[in-house]
Protein backbone atom coordinates (compact mmCIF):
# COMPACT_ATOMS: atom_id res chain seq x y z
CA UNK A 1 0.00 0.00 0.00
CA UNK A 2 2.86 2.33 0.86
CA UNK A 3 4.46 1.64 -2.49
CA UNK A 4 1.18 2.54 -4.22
CA UNK A 5 1.02 5.83 -2.33
CA UNK A 6 4.64 6.57 -3.25
CA UNK A 7 3.90 5.78 -6.86
CA UNK A 8 0.96 8.21 -6.87
CA UNK A 9 3.20 10.92 -5.43
CA UNK A 10 5.75 10.34 -8.20
CA UNK A 11 3.02 10.54 -10.83
CA UNK A 12 1.69 13.79 -9.35
CA UNK A 13 5.16 15.33 -9.21
CA UNK A 14 5.83 14.25 -12.74
CA UNK A 15 2.55 15.77 -13.88
CA UNK A 16 3.46 19.05 -12.20
CA UNK A 17 6.86 19.09 -13.85
CA UNK A 18 5.43 18.42 -17.28
CA UNK A 19 2.76 21.13 -16.85
CA UNK A 20 4.77 23.57 -14.76
CA UNK A 21 3.40 26.70 -16.38
CA UNK A 22 -0.23 25.62 -15.90
CA UNK A 23 0.47 24.74 -12.26
CA UNK A 24 2.08 28.11 -11.54
CA UNK A 25 -0.78 29.97 -13.21
CA UNK A 26 -3.38 27.99 -11.23
CA UNK A 27 -1.68 28.68 -7.89
CA UNK A 28 -1.23 32.32 -8.84
CA UNK A 29 -4.92 32.71 -9.78
CA UNK A 30 -6.02 31.10 -6.50
CA UNK A 31 -3.70 33.40 -4.52
CA UNK A 32 -4.93 36.51 -6.35
CA UNK A 33 -8.55 35.45 -5.81
CA UNK A 34 -8.10 34.94 -2.07
CA UNK A 35 -6.22 38.24 -1.73
CA UNK A 36 -8.91 40.10 -3.68
CA UNK A 37 -11.68 38.54 -1.59
CA UNK A 38 -9.99 39.52 1.68
CA UNK A 39 -9.43 43.04 0.34
CA UNK A 40 -13.06 43.41 -0.74
CA UNK A 41 -14.38 42.20 2.63
CA UNK A 42 -12.03 44.56 4.46
CA UNK A 43 -13.09 47.50 2.25
CA UNK A 44 -16.78 46.74 2.77
CA UNK A 45 -16.28 46.56 6.54
CA UNK A 46 -14.37 49.87 6.55
CA UNK A 47 -17.00 51.52 4.33
CA UNK A 48 -19.80 50.32 6.60
CA UNK A 49 -18.05 51.71 9.68
CA UNK A 50 -17.38 55.03 7.92
CA UNK A 51 -20.97 55.41 6.73
CA UNK A 52 -22.33 54.50 10.18
CA UNK A 53 -19.99 57.04 11.77
CA UNK A 54 -20.99 59.75 9.26
CA UNK A 55 -24.70 59.14 9.73
CA UNK A 56 -24.22 59.12 13.49
CA UNK A 57 -22.46 62.50 13.32
CA UNK A 58 -25.39 63.85 11.28
CA UNK A 59 -27.83 62.85 13.97
CA UNK A 60 -29.02 59.39 12.91
CA UNK A 61 -28.67 58.25 16.53
CA UNK A 62 -30.99 60.97 17.74
CA UNK A 63 -34.72 61.30 18.23
CA UNK A 64 -36.90 64.28 19.04
CA UNK A 65 -39.85 64.93 21.30
CA UNK A 66 -42.08 67.54 19.71
CA UNK A 67 -45.63 68.84 19.67
CA UNK A 68 -46.78 66.57 16.84
CA UNK A 69 -45.59 63.53 14.94
CA UNK A 70 -44.13 64.43 11.56
CA UNK A 71 -46.81 62.31 9.88
CA UNK A 72 -49.72 64.03 11.65
CA UNK A 73 -51.93 65.62 9.04
CA UNK A 74 -55.14 67.58 9.30
CA UNK A 75 -57.98 65.53 7.83
CA UNK A 76 -60.84 67.60 9.20
CA UNK A 77 -61.47 69.95 12.07
CA UNK A 78 -63.14 67.16 14.02
CA UNK A 79 -60.34 64.62 13.51
CA UNK A 80 -57.41 66.89 14.23
CA UNK A 81 -56.21 66.66 17.82
CA UNK A 82 -54.56 69.80 19.15
CA UNK A 83 -51.58 68.92 21.32
CA UNK A 84 -50.27 71.35 23.91
CA UNK A 85 -46.97 73.02 23.14
CA UNK A 86 -43.78 71.72 24.76
CA UNK A 87 -43.25 74.35 27.42
CA UNK A 88 -40.13 75.41 29.25
CA UNK A 89 -41.45 73.65 32.35
CA UNK A 90 -41.81 70.45 30.29
CA UNK A 91 -38.26 70.54 28.93
CA UNK A 92 -36.67 71.34 32.27
CA UNK A 93 -38.66 68.58 33.93
CA UNK A 94 -37.60 66.12 31.24
CA UNK A 95 -33.96 67.20 31.42
CA UNK A 96 -34.00 66.54 35.17
CA UNK A 97 -35.96 63.26 35.11
CA UNK A 98 -34.57 61.49 32.03
CA UNK A 99 -31.48 59.47 32.86
CA UNK A 100 -31.29 56.66 30.31
CA UNK A 101 -27.65 55.40 30.12
CA UNK A 102 -25.48 56.65 27.26
CA UNK A 103 -27.72 59.55 26.21
CA UNK A 104 -27.38 63.33 25.96
CA UNK A 105 -30.40 65.61 26.02
CA UNK A 106 -30.53 68.85 24.06
CA UNK A 107 -33.16 71.48 24.77
CA UNK A 108 -33.60 74.53 22.56
CA UNK A 109 -36.01 76.98 20.97
CA UNK A 110 -35.98 79.38 18.05
CA UNK A 111 -36.22 82.93 19.36
CA UNK A 112 -36.72 84.47 15.93
CA UNK A 113 -36.01 83.84 12.26
CA UNK A 114 -35.74 87.50 11.36
CA UNK A 115 -33.08 89.06 13.57
CA UNK A 116 -30.73 91.84 12.57
CA UNK A 117 -27.20 91.22 13.88
CA UNK A 118 -24.64 94.00 14.21
CA UNK A 119 -20.85 94.14 14.41
CA UNK A 120 -19.27 97.59 14.80
CA UNK A 121 -20.63 99.60 11.84
CA UNK A 122 -21.88 96.54 9.93
CA UNK A 123 -25.23 94.86 10.14
CA UNK A 124 -27.08 92.04 8.43
CA UNK A 125 -30.47 91.98 6.79
CA UNK A 126 -33.23 90.94 9.22
CA UNK A 127 -33.00 87.26 8.28
CA UNK A 128 -30.76 85.71 10.94
CA UNK A 129 -32.08 82.84 13.07
CA UNK A 130 -31.44 83.11 16.81
CA UNK A 131 -31.47 79.83 18.74
CA UNK A 132 -31.38 79.46 22.50
CA UNK A 133 -29.89 76.12 23.48
CA UNK A 134 -28.07 74.10 26.09
CA UNK A 135 -24.60 72.59 25.82
CA UNK A 136 -25.70 69.49 23.83
CA UNK A 137 -27.52 71.25 20.99
CA UNK A 138 -24.64 71.51 18.50
CA UNK A 139 -23.57 67.87 18.90
CA UNK A 140 -27.11 66.48 18.79
CA UNK A 141 -27.91 68.53 15.68
CA UNK A 142 -24.99 67.03 13.75
CA UNK A 143 -23.27 70.41 13.46
CA UNK A 144 -19.48 70.73 13.31
CA UNK A 145 -17.24 73.54 14.44
CA UNK A 146 -15.03 75.33 11.96
CA UNK A 147 -13.14 77.20 14.69
CA UNK A 148 -13.33 77.89 18.39
CA UNK A 149 -15.56 75.95 20.76
CA UNK A 150 -19.21 75.24 21.37
CA UNK A 151 -21.37 76.14 24.36
CA UNK A 152 -20.49 74.31 27.55
CA UNK A 153 -22.37 73.57 30.74
CA UNK A 154 -20.81 76.56 32.55
CA UNK A 155 -21.97 78.95 29.79
CA UNK A 156 -25.51 77.66 30.15
CA UNK A 157 -25.63 77.58 33.95
CA UNK A 158 -23.98 81.00 34.34
CA UNK A 159 -26.03 82.58 31.53
CA UNK A 160 -22.84 83.80 29.81
CA UNK A 161 -23.25 86.22 26.91
CA UNK A 162 -21.36 84.12 24.39
CA UNK A 163 -22.41 82.70 21.03
CA UNK A 164 -21.57 80.36 18.16
CA UNK A 165 -22.32 81.68 14.67
CA UNK A 166 -22.98 80.16 11.24
CA UNK A 167 -20.60 80.41 8.29
CA UNK A 168 -22.70 82.89 6.26
CA UNK A 169 -22.98 85.22 9.22
CA UNK A 170 -19.21 85.04 9.62
CA UNK A 171 -18.77 85.98 5.95
CA UNK A 172 -21.25 88.84 6.20
CA UNK A 173 -19.84 90.51 9.32
CA UNK A 174 -16.45 89.08 10.26
CA UNK A 175 -14.75 88.06 7.03
CA UNK A 176 -11.81 90.44 7.48
CA UNK A 177 -11.02 89.57 11.12
CA UNK A 178 -10.60 86.51 13.29
CA UNK A 179 -14.21 86.03 14.47
CA UNK A 180 -13.22 84.31 17.72
CA UNK A 181 -13.33 86.85 20.51
CA UNK A 182 -15.24 89.49 18.54
CA UNK A 183 -18.45 90.98 19.94
CA UNK A 184 -21.72 91.06 18.01
CA UNK A 185 -25.04 92.58 19.01
CA UNK A 186 -28.48 90.93 18.95
CA UNK A 187 -31.38 93.22 19.81
CA UNK A 188 -29.03 95.49 21.70
CA UNK A 189 -27.47 92.66 23.75
CA UNK A 190 -23.77 92.02 23.18
CA UNK A 191 -22.43 88.48 22.72
CA UNK A 192 -18.83 87.33 22.44
CA UNK A 193 -18.18 84.91 19.58
CA UNK A 194 -16.53 81.73 20.90
CA UNK A 195 -17.05 79.48 17.90
CA UNK A 196 -17.99 79.32 14.22
CA UNK A 197 -19.78 76.48 12.43
CA UNK A 198 -18.87 74.67 9.25
CA UNK A 199 -21.07 75.37 6.25
CA UNK A 200 -24.34 73.46 6.43
CA UNK A 201 -26.34 74.78 3.48
CA UNK A 202 -30.08 75.29 3.13
CA UNK A 203 -32.92 72.90 3.95
CA UNK A 204 -36.35 73.53 2.41
CA UNK A 205 -35.29 77.12 1.70
CA UNK A 206 -34.11 77.64 5.26
CA UNK A 207 -30.51 78.91 5.36
CA UNK A 208 -28.88 77.07 8.23
CA UNK A 209 -25.68 79.14 8.00
CA UNK A 210 -27.36 82.40 8.98
CA UNK A 211 -27.82 81.70 12.66
CA UNK A 212 -26.58 82.54 16.10
CA UNK A 213 -26.66 79.98 18.93
CA UNK A 214 -26.72 81.44 22.44
CA UNK A 215 -27.30 79.97 25.94
CA UNK A 216 -30.96 79.19 26.47
CA UNK A 217 -31.45 81.51 29.45
CA UNK A 218 -29.92 84.42 27.56
CA UNK A 219 -32.34 83.76 24.73
CA UNK A 220 -35.29 83.58 27.15
CA UNK A 221 -34.38 87.00 28.53
CA UNK A 222 -34.43 88.51 25.02
CA UNK A 223 -37.35 86.64 23.45
CA UNK A 224 -40.26 86.76 25.89
CA UNK A 225 -43.22 85.86 23.70
CA UNK A 226 -45.81 83.64 25.42
CA UNK A 227 -46.35 80.02 24.41
CA UNK A 228 -42.84 79.40 23.07
CA UNK A 229 -42.62 75.85 21.73
CA UNK A 230 -39.38 74.17 22.86
CA UNK A 231 -37.53 71.27 21.24
CA UNK A 232 -36.07 68.20 22.92
CA UNK A 233 -33.46 66.11 21.12
CA UNK A 234 -31.86 62.99 22.60
CA UNK A 235 -28.68 61.45 21.20
CA UNK A 236 -27.82 57.81 21.97
CA UNK A 237 -24.17 56.73 22.01
CA UNK A 238 -24.96 53.23 20.67
CA UNK A 239 -27.64 52.66 18.04
CA UNK A 240 -28.50 49.31 19.65
CA UNK A 241 -29.87 51.25 22.63
CA UNK A 242 -32.01 53.62 20.55
CA UNK A 243 -35.29 51.76 20.92
CA UNK A 244 -34.91 51.41 24.69
CA UNK A 245 -34.01 55.09 25.00
CA UNK A 246 -37.12 56.05 23.00
CA UNK A 247 -39.42 53.92 25.16
CA UNK A 248 -37.97 55.41 28.34
CA UNK A 249 -38.31 58.94 26.95
CA UNK A 250 -41.99 58.37 26.13
CA UNK A 251 -42.69 57.07 29.64
CA UNK A 252 -40.80 59.98 31.22
CA UNK A 253 -42.57 62.61 29.14
CA UNK A 254 -45.99 61.04 29.74
CA UNK A 255 -45.33 61.35 33.47
CA UNK A 256 -44.32 65.00 33.03
CA UNK A 257 -47.51 65.66 31.06
CA UNK A 258 -49.56 63.90 33.77
CA UNK A 259 -51.15 61.39 31.39
CA UNK A 260 -52.93 58.36 32.83
CA UNK A 261 -52.33 54.87 31.34
CA UNK A 262 -55.40 54.93 29.07
CA UNK A 263 -54.73 58.35 27.55
CA UNK A 264 -52.96 58.68 24.21
CA UNK A 265 -49.71 60.62 23.90
CA UNK A 266 -50.31 64.33 23.47
CA UNK A 267 -46.90 64.81 21.86
CA UNK A 268 -44.91 63.34 19.02
CA UNK A 269 -41.66 61.37 18.76
CA UNK A 270 -39.59 61.43 15.60
CA UNK A 271 -36.26 59.88 14.68
CA UNK A 272 -33.85 62.04 12.71
Amino acid sequence: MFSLFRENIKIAIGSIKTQLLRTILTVLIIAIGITALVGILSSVSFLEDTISSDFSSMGSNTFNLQQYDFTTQRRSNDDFKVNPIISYRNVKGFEKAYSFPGTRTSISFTGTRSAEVKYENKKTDPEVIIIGANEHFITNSGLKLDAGRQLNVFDVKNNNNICVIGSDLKKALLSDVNPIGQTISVRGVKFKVVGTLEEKGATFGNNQDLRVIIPIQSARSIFTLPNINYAISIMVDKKEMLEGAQDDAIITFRNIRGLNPVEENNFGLERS
Side-chain angles (χ1 to χ4, degrees), residues 42-54:
S42 299
S43 298
V44 169
S45 178
F46 174 76
L47 184 61
E48 182 181 11
D49 291 341
T50 301
I51 291 174
S52 296
S53 176
D54 288 344

Side-chain angles (χ1 to χ4, degrees), residues 17 23 54 74 124 171 189 231 253:
K17 287 180 178 180
T23 302
D54 288 344
R74 186 187 297 271
T124 67
K171 294 174 185 176
V189 181
F253 205 67

Side-chain angles (χ1 to χ4, degrees), residues 112-128:
T112 180
R113 296 182 178 276
S114 57
E116 181 183 79
V117 179
K118 298 179 180 179
Y119 169 70
E120 295 183 347
N121 60 345
K122 298 180 181 179
K123 63 181 180 180
T124 67
D125 292 331
E127 56 183 3
V128 180

